[in-house]
């Protein structure tokens, strides 16, 4: 068949206003994507080439790179099929007029599956001598380039394709002809395909090739860069496509421009401050130890400069390996936003406009532009915008959480790393986006058993793809430290981690490589921290409010951390009834996003490192766990609801954190811990058991009382870190009072851990270390992506617990308004603009009340609980409207009354009465 006949098959259809003949041929699209691969391999970021080479180690990398454009091109061979060509009615009629026959029966089959089947059946015959492993990789990568690997077995796909193409026997010949044409145009003449051989790691090689194909396909599918081109000589179009690919990489700033990374010492990297002991340690690590992928675990108290040490270590690794790309993962969006500002400043100082950082989490579209603007206000204009290029323009291509993972410098929530290890749509792209980078995960002690299973699985995958990983923690239980190290080492093919349980020092920098490991102890920078820890009975909201006012009478700053939002709201409401001077701030997760950001800034102004508060200024901050890890502030006294020991120590890190004058009565730091009791005077965890495991609370109480005189004890850090943590998370048996309650709690705890572990394993991506193809027997049922739209058993979650994100709105004159006065309106008869979507997201509030969630999960829910548009824009798919009465600012759902209060945030109460002791799931 002549070339012209193959060019009758469409790959991209024209816009409706254009004639049907102005389609983009499938062959041209395959050439476009091949040329993008060719351009990326030549001019793109070095990480892409190095990541591919590492994943394919053991194979002939030189041969692979020569064959790469052709291998990428054949990803869409399946478009030369009845199932694809017949899905557009106008194009089908055009082909029928040209003599192509179609069967009228509907067959459920993706063109990517047709590509996989053709390669499975034909490749070994056409390319003699290729290894079975190479065939499996190519087949599965082509079948998975739209985000999901072939779910059906090849035999089933074969049957479906046969039924679809019974009316036209020439489809096989046309696919064969397309393969030969692309081979003649793109394949090397001097190296057979079989010369590539087989990589040592089958599944990482498949993931890397799949991720690269997806990246190239997304670029090559952009009509602005590759406009529809009617049939012309294929050789002429190949030259045109190559030029378009080069132009596309330039347009989207995907060509590599940054200078080779170097490292001249910590002081040069951070000239504003002298290196602390941990930071100085980075400079003396052996250079050869950084030449291969490694896991570094930094355990140190707050205030030791772990973040700067991690960035310095990442920079040393970059200088040694020639790849400077990183991803910084944090536990919450709030901590991610803070780190974004620090990283944006850091990389702008290094690279000017080429150092732009991408923020990656569910609300990034709202906050990133504002955060970047704030950084620019405090930056050297020449460094920030070298050459007049804006950060938004430089990073435009990397919009969206999946594309953003490919950006050279990224920061976001740990969920984005977890999603690379879950069997969600496009997980190979996420893994390829991280491959070869330095991945930093902060607050790694803060993750439960469910998340820990996912993180360990992902660490193994990252190790196979050439990543170095840096884990940061105030302190880890030894068992967790050991499990994380073993997971990473298994991905390197190394042995077991050196057991840190015997003599692990604290603080410590531990480094694990395939053939060796080391643990480095260092002195702390911050003087030995001593504080008095007092345990007292939890009072009523009014009693707790009186205690706060008393503590700041005459001056001083106190923080009150509650485990539940409704408790924080109740205490703050009680404060309002007291006639007390001074500043007060309430902060929790159930404020609209824009309001929460304003309150975070207010706390920074009052209590941050650069604040100038006077000793006689009274300040009270009330909040939830967001005060535990989201903000850099310090107080004179901390009062906390009882919590697991690691979280109490984390909260204590905000005591006397910064150097300043303090009231005489608060010269010595103190942590008060409020312990709930039942009617008999025994510790009572019922109100908090949905948040913290009672068994861990029992062990925390036992560990604290072991050193108490009366109701208080002196805690000395860092000396007591390891002792207290291991007393709670170790296996030593407990004795003393409450033995029966503790035994029952332990049994429930073990059951919970087993259930969490089992639930976490279910949605994991395939095992990275298996020698079997990544698709076995047709693969697994595919897990839906993180938007949660398919809320069924297939939903893969990065965290346990359930929540729904609501946007409080008012119905005014047939439109949605974000305020009762109708100032900020969104039309209901047309999809919102990008700016309107940003406004909606800025008002979003997460809610984890079970009854409220059930109201939104009900398929029969009223129309007011659904967005009014027929097609929901992607940024809003995880959000839902909360329709409020403009007079009361409230709504009643499923027995709950939800009320938006200017001072308290979103208040959730029983619909019949605002009871203080109505227990139901709450946000923190």
């Amino acid at each position: 068949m002549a070339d012209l006949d193959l060019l009758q098959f469409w790959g991209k259809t024209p816009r409706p206003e254009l004639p049907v003949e102005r389609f983009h041929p499938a062959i041209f699209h395959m050439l476009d994507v091949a040329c993008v691969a060719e351009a990326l391999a030549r001019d793109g970021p070095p990480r892409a080439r190095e990541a591919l080479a590492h994943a394919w180690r053991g194979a002939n990398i030189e041969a692979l790179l020569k064959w790469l454009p052709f291998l990428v091109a054949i990803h869409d061979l399946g478009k030369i099929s009845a199932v694809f060509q017949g899905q557009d009615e106008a194009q089908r009629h055009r082909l029928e007029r040209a003599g192509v026959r179609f069967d009228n029966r509907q067959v459920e089959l993706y063109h990517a599956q047709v590509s996989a089947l053709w390669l499975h059946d034909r490749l070994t015959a056409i390319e003699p001598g290729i290894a079975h492993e190479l065939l499996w990789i190519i087949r599965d990568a082509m079948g998975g380039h739209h985000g999901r690997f072939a779910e059906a077995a090849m035999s089933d796909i074969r049957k479906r394709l046969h039924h679809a193409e019974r009316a036209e026997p020439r489809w096989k010949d046309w696919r064969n002809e397309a393969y030969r044409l692309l081979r003649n145009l793109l394949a090397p003449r001097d190296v057979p395909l079989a010369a590539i051989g087989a990589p040592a790691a089958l599944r990482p090689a498949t993931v890397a090739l799949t991720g690269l194909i997806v990246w190239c396909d997304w670029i090559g599918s952009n009509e602005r860069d590759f406009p529809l081109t009617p049939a012309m000589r294929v050789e002429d179009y190949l030259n045109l496509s190559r030029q378009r690919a080069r132009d596309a990489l330039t347009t989207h700033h995907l060509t590599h421009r940054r200078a080779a990374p170097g490292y001249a010492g910590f002081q040069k990297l951070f000239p504003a401050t002298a290196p602390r002991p941990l930071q100085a340690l980075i400079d003396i690590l052996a250079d050869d130890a950084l030449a291969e992928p490694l896991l570094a675990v930094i355990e140190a108290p707050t205030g030791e400069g772990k973040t700067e040490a991690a960035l310095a270590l990442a920079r040393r690794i970059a200088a040694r390996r020639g790849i400077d790309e990183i991803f910084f993962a944090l536990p919450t969006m709030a901590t991610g936003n803070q780190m974004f500002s620090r990283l944006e400043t850091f990389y702008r100082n290094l690279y000017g406009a080429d150092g732009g950082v991408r923020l990656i989490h569910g609300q990034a579209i709202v906050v990133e532009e504002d955060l970047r603007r704030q950084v620019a206000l405090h930056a050297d204009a020449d460094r920030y915008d070298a050459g007049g290029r804006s950060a938004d323009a430089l990073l435009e291509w990397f919009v969206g959480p999946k594309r953003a993972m490919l950006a050279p410098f990224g920061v976001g929530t740990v969920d984005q790393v977890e999603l690379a290890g879950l069997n969600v749509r496009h997980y190979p792209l996420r893994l390829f986006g991280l491959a070869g980078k330095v991945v930093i995960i902060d607050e790694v002690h803060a993750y439960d058993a469910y998340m820990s299973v996912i993180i360990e699985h992902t660490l193994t995958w990252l190790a196979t793809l050439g990543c170095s990983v840096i884990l940061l923690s105030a302190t880890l239980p030894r068992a967790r430290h050991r499990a994380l190290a073993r997971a990473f080492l298994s991905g390197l093919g190394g042995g077991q981690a050196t057991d840190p349980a015997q003599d692990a020092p604290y603080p410590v920098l531990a480094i694990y490589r395939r053939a060796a490991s080391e643990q480095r102890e260092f002195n702390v920078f911050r003087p030995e921290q001593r504080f008095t820890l007092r345990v007292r009975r939890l009072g009523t909201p009014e009693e707790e409010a009186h205690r706060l006012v008393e503590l700041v009478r005459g001056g001083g700053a106190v923080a009150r951390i509650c485990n539940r939002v409704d408790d924080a709201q109740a205490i703050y409401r009680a404060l309002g009834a007291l006639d007390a001077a001074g500043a007060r701030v309430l902060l929790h997760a159930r404020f609209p996003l824009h309001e929460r950001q304003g309150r975070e800034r207010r706390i920074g102004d009052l209590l941050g490192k650069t604040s100038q508060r006077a000793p006689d200024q009274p300040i009270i901050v009330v909040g939830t766990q967001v005060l535990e890890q989201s903000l850099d502030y310090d107080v004179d006294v901390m009062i906390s609801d009882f919590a697991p020991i690691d979280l109490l120590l984390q909260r204590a890190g905000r005591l006397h954190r910064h150097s300043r004058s303090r009231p005489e009565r608060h010269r010595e730091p103190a942590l008060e811990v409020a312990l709930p009791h039942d009617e008999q005077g025994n510790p009572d965890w019922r109100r908090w058991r949905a948040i913290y495991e009672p068994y861990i609370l029992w062990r925390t109480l036992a560990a604290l009382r072991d050193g108490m005189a009366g109701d208080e004890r002196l805690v000395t850090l860092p000396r007591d870190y390891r002792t207290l943590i291991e007393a709670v998370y170790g296996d030593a048996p407990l004795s003393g009072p409450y033995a029966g309650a503790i035994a029952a709690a332990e049994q429930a705890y073990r059951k919970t851990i087993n259930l969490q572990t089992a639930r976490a394993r279910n949605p994991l991506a395939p095992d990275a270390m298996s020698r079997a193809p990544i698709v076995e027997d047709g693969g697994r049922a595919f897990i839906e992506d993180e938007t949660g739209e398919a809320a069924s058993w297939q939903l893969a979650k990065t965290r346990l617990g359930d929540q729904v994100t609501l946007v409080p709105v008012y119905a005014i004159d047939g439109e949605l308004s974000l305020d009762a006065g109708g100032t900020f309106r969104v039309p209901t008869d047309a999809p919102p603009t990008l700016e309107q979507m940003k406004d909606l997201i800025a008002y979003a509030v997460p809610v984890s009340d079970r009854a409220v969630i059930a109201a939104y999960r009900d398929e029969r829910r009223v129309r007011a609980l659904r967005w009014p548009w027929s097609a929901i824009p992607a940024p809003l798919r995880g959000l839902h409207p909360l329709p409020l009465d403009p007079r009361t600012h409230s709504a009643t759902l499923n027995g709950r009354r939800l009320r938006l209060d200017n001072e308290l945030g979103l208040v959730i109460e029983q619909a019949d009465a605002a009871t203080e002791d109505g227990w139901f799931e709450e946000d923190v």
Side-chain angles (χ1 to χ4, degrees), residues 335-392:
T335 51
N337 294 346
Q338 287 190 327
M339 188 57 65
F340 170 83
S341 299
R342 295 172 70 176
L343 289 189
E344 178 81 354
T345 300
F346 178 75
Y347 281 104
R348 291 290 177 177
N349 287 338
L350 286 174
Y351 293 125
D354 291 323
V357 177
R358 184 94 275 175
L359 181 64
I360 311 171
H361 59 59
Q363 295 172 343
I365 190 174
V366 178
V367 300
E368 181 174 353
E369 184 179 346
D370 184 53
L371 291 171
R372 201 185 304 281
R373 191 179 299 113
Q374 292 178 35
V375 172
L377 289 174
H378 300 90
D380 184 322
D382 293 332
R383 275 183 178 169
Y384 188 82
D385 198 17
R389 291 169 293 170
S390 72
D392 291 337

Side-chain angles (χ1 to χ4, degrees), residues 127-372:
E127 307 291 350
I130 69 168
H132 289 298
E133 294 87 349
L134 181 58
L135 166 63
W136 295 336
I137 293 170
I138 296 173
R139 175 200 68 192
D140 293 339
M142 304 309 152
H145 78 270
H146 275 289
R148 61 186 70 199
F149 290 111
E151 295 177 18
M154 288 296 140
S155 59
D156 186 37
I157 296 174
R158 193 177 295 112
K159 290 177 183 177
R160 293 190 219 172
L161 186 61
H162 173 72
H163 286 300
E165 297 185 343
R166 290 176 67 179
E168 178 57 84
R170 293 177 291 173
W171 287 111
K172 290 182 180 178
D173 296 331
W174 287 327
R175 284 190 287 273
N176 291 343
E177 183 69 18
Y179 182 91
R180 286 193 292 269
L181 172 63
L182 293 169
R183 194 183 193 284
N184 289 336
L185 290 170
L186 298 169
R189 308 288 184 185
D190 57 337
V191 179
L193 183 62
I196 296 176
L202 184 63
R203 291 180 171 183
T206 306
V207 159
L209 181 58
T210 305
L212 179 65
I213 291 172
V214 176
W215 191 4
C216 297
D217 195 23
W218 284 356
I219 298 172
S221 296
N222 188 331
E223 190 177 333
R224 288 178 298 176
D225 301 315
F226 297 89
L228 301 182
T229 305
M232 59 190 292
R233 288 185 70 249
V234 176
E235 292 80 6
D236 293 338
Y237 184 76
L238 177 59
N239 292 329
L240 176 60
S241 182
R242 281 182 168 135
Q243 183 59 53
R244 287 175 171 176
R246 289 192 291 269
D247 292 344
L249 262 62
T250 301
T251 298
H252 300 298
H253 307 283
L254 296 174
T255 52
H256 187 67
R257 290 184 296 264
R258 298 188 303 277
Y263 186 80
F266 185 91
Q267 188 71 74
K268 289 284 187 181
L269 204 59
F270 297 97
T273 57
R276 298 174 182 181
L278 166 62
Q279 299 161 346
L281 182 58
I282 303 301
D283 286 356
I284 62 173
L285 295 174
D287 197 53
D288 289 344
L290 310 179
E292 60 185 67
L294 61 85
L295 173 71
V297 183
I298 300 177
E299 293 184 60
T302 56
E304 294 302 312
K306 293 190 289 292
T307 295
E308 291 79 8
L311 291 174
L313 179 55
R315 193 67 183 168
R316 280 211 62 188
I317 294 170
R320 183 64 178 82
R321 301 185 66 192
I323 301 172
D324 60 358
E325 300 190 21
I326 75 158
F327 182 79
F328 208 122
L330 297 111
T332 65
M333 287 186 284
T335 51
N337 294 346
Q338 287 190 327
M339 188 57 65
F340 170 83
S341 299
R342 295 172 70 176
L343 289 189
E344 178 81 354
T345 300
F346 178 75
Y347 281 104
R348 291 290 177 177
N349 287 338
L350 286 174
Y351 293 125
D354 291 323
V357 177
R358 184 94 275 175
L359 181 64
I360 311 171
H361 59 59
Q363 295 172 343
I365 190 174
V366 178
V367 300
E368 181 174 353
E369 184 179 346
D370 184 53
L371 291 171
R372 201 185 304 281

Side-chain angles (χ1 to χ4, degrees), residues 200-205 207 431 457-465 490-491 765-772 774:
L202 184 63
R203 291 180 171 183
V207 159
L431 282 171
H457 183 77
T458 309
L459 284 180
T460 301
W461 265 109
L462 295 180
T464 69
L465 293 167
S490 69
D767 178 17
M769 303 307 294
S770 171
R771 289 295 303 166
I774 204 164

Side-chain angles (χ1 to χ4, degrees), residues 472-490:
L472 308 180
S473 176
T475 189
L476 277 171
R478 288 166 179 155
R480 289 291 310 120
H481 185 135
R482 189 162 58 250
L484 292 164
R486 285 177 173 165
F488 187 84
L489 286 172
S490 69

